Amino acid sequence: SMVNLMKLLHYFQCLPQFTVGLAQGSAMGTGLGLLAACDAVCAVATARFVVSEVKLGTCPAAIAPLVAGKIGAASAKRILCTAEIITAQLAKQMGLVTEVVDDELDFSKYVEGICEKITLCAPVASARSKRLVQNVSARPLTLKLLSYTGGELADVRIGDEAVRGMAAVQARTKPSWAETPIKPLY
């Protein structure tokens, strides 16, 4: 059912791990929604993106929240209401795609670069940062929001990773999580 699909996409978007989508061909409908749920998306220059439900007399209700959250209302309306076929370059301008590469052979280099960066990041701090972004994006700056972010900072600063990270800085060594590189599965 549509609700189960929405739950699956929401679950995927909320994974604590940094997720990377790779688009080598066309991403249509739910496929585009899955890419919108990813933290980073790399697409080949020839990739195309379309949501054509409106041509069928229906609407893309299951993916609309993800798409709008990722690229904003104006671009989401353009994609969801017109069934326009979007190029990889335009998808990058809209914020759906993070990087455009010449061909799929470049995916490995892109994923390796992400893995190198993530290796240097404390896993719990990275997961909490992802959740923090999800919880504060598109919200007005209020005292309640400032209190929330301040509380998150106060909590994470006394955590094990922060203690080990600061000790590593003082010792001028790598923190333990950066000692074993993350290897791409791709």
Side-chain angles (χ1 to χ4, degrees):
S1 78
M2 182 183 69
V3 172
N4 286 335
L5 173 60
M6 292 176 76
K7 286 179 182 178
L8 173 70
L9 292 172
H10 177 74
Y11 174 79
F12 185 79
Q13 183 182 44
C14 293
L15 286 171
Q17 296 82 9
F18 191 86
T19 57
V20 179
L22 304 173
Q24 67 182 29
S26 296
M28 299 180 276
T30 303
L32 189 141
L34 182 58
L35 292 176
C38 292
D39 299 317
V41 175
C42 184
V44 295
T46 57
R48 299 292 180 261
F49 307 88
V50 66
V51 179
S52 58
E53 276 84 344
V54 293
K55 287 184 175 181
L56 304 172
T58 184
C59 68
I63 65 168
L66 293 167
V67 175
K70 179 85 167 202
I71 65 175
S75 292
K77 287 177 189 176
R78 180 175 177 178
I79 289 176
L80 302 179
C81 299
T82 68
E84 177 182 355
I85 297 172
I86 305 294
T87 65
Q89 209 52 49
L90 182 54
K92 182 178 179 185
Q93 290 172 2
M94 291 176 160
L96 178 66
V97 168
T98 313
E99 189 70 39
V100 177
V101 295
D102 292 329
D103 62 49
E104 64 186 81
L105 297 175
D106 296 323
F107 283 160
S108 292
K109 187 175 180 181
Y110 177 78
V111 172
E112 286 171 7
I114 296 284
C115 288
E116 288 172 10
K117 291 174 181 77
I118 297 294
T119 293
L120 300 175
C121 301
V124 173
S126 184
R128 289 187 70 163
S129 294
K130 180 176 173 175
R131 188 179 69 216
L132 182 67
V133 169
Q134 292 168 335
N135 289 341
V136 303
S137 63
R139 296 188 190 230
L141 189 59
T142 63
L143 288 176
K144 184 177 179 181
L145 186 66
L146 292 173
S147 178
Y148 166 70
T149 58
E152 287 291 303
L153 177 60
D155 187 47
V156 77
R157 285 176 55 184
I158 60 171
D160 183 54
E161 285 182 343
V163 171
R164 289 187 293 143
M166 288 302 174
V169 168
Q170 291 171 348
R172 296 182 184 191
T173 62
K174 285 185 177 180
S176 59
W177 56 81
E179 292 174 0
T180 306
I182 296 172
K183 305 269 188 206
L185 297 176
Y186 180 77

